[in-house]
Amino acid sequence: MFIKPVALPAGRACAICPRGFEALGKGLDIRTDLPLYNIINGDSVVGQVPDLLSHWQADLHAFAIGCSFTFERALINAGITIRHIEEQKTVPMFRTDIETTRSGPFGGPMVVSMRPIQVSDVNRVKEICQAFPHAHGAPIHIGDPGEIGISDVMHPDWGDPVEVKAGEVPVFWGCGVTSQMAVLQAKPEIAFSHAPGAMLITDWPETPPSDYASTFSPTTNPTQF
């Protein structure tokens, strides 16, 4: 499956073994180490569960995708206000009218996350986020949400609404929920994903990687590390 890299920066992939993410964290178990999982059947999310212990199947493959939460500490350290953290909310996420590159049955719209940013800070935010290509990198859109098919930033498709205050502009980043749109398009008999906002926390540092190509590229053989 190939989706726009900015939406789905690949981390690691493993086959069969749910404990095969050791490169991301000692003892990590993909069946239990997320706060909440979606259950997907066909083109619908049919439920949510706190773990996959009773759902895991021997032929399942798991993929780890970068998340924009990774660069938020760097923004905060630079004095940038992160509204959803300030208000203790889940970042707002939106389905756009930007189509991803289809591969076989996988395709569909790009999903983005949104953070209000002071206009005077936008260039600094772009510069900081460019150092995190494994976590969606720089914003994909700044300003008018209607230009990417979003009618109202106060009504996100996932997460919680946050106010865009005077002197601020909505800034949008690629989001890993894009992968769920692609899976829903493929209509699998069964699949699982993180619930939006319920992310996998790894042992990798939040600081930008010194060597992105060797540290964060997926293995050529997804069954091995």
Side-chain angles (χ1 to χ4, degrees):
M1 177 174 62
F2 176 78
I3 318 261
K4 291 180 183 296
V6 70
L8 299 182
R12 288 282 178 173
C14 77
I16 309 302
C17 177
R19 300 180 187 276
F21 281 76
E22 286 287 335
L24 300 183
K26 184 176 176 59
L28 192 153
D29 190 330
I30 203 66
R31 302 169 300 177
T32 59
D33 288 2
L34 279 71
L36 192 65
Y37 299 80
N38 281 344
I39 302 174
I40 297 171
N41 178 253
D43 60 0
S44 301
V45 175
V46 297
Q48 293 183 323
V49 291
D51 64 66
L52 298 179
L53 290 174
S54 63
H55 297 275
W56 189 263
Q57 300 175 10
D59 59 351
L60 289 176
H61 294 243
F63 299 85
I65 298 165
C67 176
S68 59
F69 288 176
T70 301
F71 59 61
E72 289 182 333
R73 187 184 302 274
L75 294 178
I76 292 171
N77 289 344
I80 307 297
T81 297
I82 306 296
R83 184 68 34 74
H84 68 271
I85 294 179
E86 184 180 64
E87 298 181 355
Q88 298 185 1
K89 294 180 175 180
T90 298
V91 67
M93 293 160 274
F94 303 85
R95 183 184 292 104
T96 73
D97 62 5
I98 302 170
E99 285 296 310
T100 55
T101 303
R102 179 168 288 277
S103 178
F106 298 99
M110 177 185 282
V111 175
V112 295
S113 61
M114 188 278 289
R115 296 162 181 81
I117 301 295
Q118 285 283 338
V119 172
S120 59
D121 288 332
V122 167
N123 287 337
R124 195 154 54 106
V125 166
K126 289 167 61 177
E127 182 179 352
I128 291 170
C129 292
Q130 283 172 352
F132 293 84
H134 59 297
H136 301 297
I140 64 119
H141 181 69
I142 299 166
D144 184 2
E147 292 183 3
I148 55 174
I150 298 170
S151 59
D152 187 352
V153 293
M154 294 307 295
H155 290 86
D157 295 294
W158 302 273
D160 302 312
V162 295
E163 181 184 4
V164 181
K165 298 180 179 180
E168 296 178 336
V169 63
V171 179
F172 300 89
W173 282 263
C175 177
V177 179
T178 301
S179 64
Q180 298 180 33
M181 297 296 97
V183 171
L184 291 171
Q185 289 267 324
K187 301 180 181 180
E189 180 179 339
I190 190 69
F192 306 97
S193 71
H194 72 284
M199 313 309 296
L200 174 69
I201 298 176
T202 73
D203 289 347
W204 285 359
E206 292 178 317
T207 52
S210 58
D211 183 356
Y212 174 78
S214 63
T215 307
F216 290 93
S217 292
T219 55
T220 53
N221 181 350
T223 66
Q224 307 202 8
F225 285 92

